[in-house]
Amino acid sequence: MEAAPSWPLLEDRHTADRDDDGQEEGSEASPELTEQVRAVCEPHYTAVTGTSSAQWDKELSRELVGMALRTVRLADREAYPKALEQYLVHNRARLEKLWRIYGPAGVFPRGVYHLVEQPESFVLCERIDNAPMWLKGVWSRECESETPLERLQEAWLYGTSESDGR
């Protein structure tokens, strides 16, 4: 006779979703981590787009990075900036294609894909690849419209693949 599976009690699972400081999964990231992630995105974005930080909305930048970081597991947050750096290096060609097609000089009217015009679009692309449902849930709770994220997700997943012929 097989033993019944041992399922964790609800209380056990809830406490497992907290770190040693009592911080819960999906909680706000520290300002330091937010700035580290912005610092990772910005040089990659500058290299891909040729734009400078003087042109970026810094408050929107912090909000978008903060939202994306809510979808990074607590256990992974310390290593996340390095993992993001590797992701951006690995996906450089796709990021260039995203800018070329969906950026302000692309084939769509300016503003349609306005998230592409912010350096944080790069961290959002990483989250679209690695935590899409979690990102969508956080976005729908914190933003008035889901359209900007849906457009970025569509562009990233379907408009930058190697099989789309562009």
Side-chain angles (χ1 to χ4, degrees):
M1 181 187 299
E2 278 185 46
S6 66
W7 299 102
L9 298 174
L10 187 56
E11 294 84 21
D12 293 341
R13 200 177 105 235
H14 183 69
T15 57
D17 290 343
R18 295 177 184 264
D19 70 1
D20 294 336
D21 297 328
Q23 195 174 24
E24 292 187 33
E25 292 291 355
S27 62
E28 192 171 320
S30 70
E32 295 80 18
L33 180 59
T34 300
E35 291 307 313
Q36 286 176 343
V37 169
R38 286 184 65 231
V40 167
C41 289
E42 289 180 2
H44 288 276
Y45 192 80
T46 297
V48 166
T49 68
T51 63
S52 76
S53 62
Q55 299 169 275
W56 306 331
D57 181 339
K58 294 194 180 17
E59 187 56 38
L60 178 59
S61 173
R62 285 183 190 89
E63 288 177 28
L64 292 174
V65 169
M67 200 177 316
L69 287 173
R70 290 179 195 274
T71 69
V72 176
R73 292 184 44 84
L74 292 172
D76 299 334
R77 286 186 179 180
E78 187 176 326
Y80 184 70
K82 184 175 182 177
L84 177 61
E85 176 83 32
Q86 292 170 344
Y87 176 88
L88 296 177
V89 168
H90 179 75
N91 285 282
R92 174 71 180 261
R94 282 182 73 196
L95 294 166
E96 289 172 347
K97 190 173 193 178
L98 180 72
W99 178 256
R100 188 174 61 253
I101 297 170
Y102 300 95
V107 297
F108 298 94
R110 188 175 184 118
V112 172
Y113 290 91
H114 73 273
L115 287 178
V116 175
E117 298 175 29
Q118 289 289 343
E120 305 64 55
S121 62
F122 287 9
V123 71
L124 292 172
C125 290
E126 186 278 331
R127 296 285 73 205
I128 287 168
D129 277 347
N130 294 302
M133 297 307 292
W134 197 357
L135 179 61
K136 184 176 175 144
V138 169
W139 188 279
S140 66
R141 281 191 308 274
E142 296 189 20
C143 295
E144 292 179 19
S145 173
E146 294 180 26
T147 303
L149 181 64
E150 289 170 348
R151 287 182 177 162
L152 178 62
Q153 183 171 8
E154 175 188 300
W156 183 245
L157 295 177
Y158 308 111
T160 63
S161 68
E162 291 183 22
S163 63
D164 73 357
R166 291 186 208 166

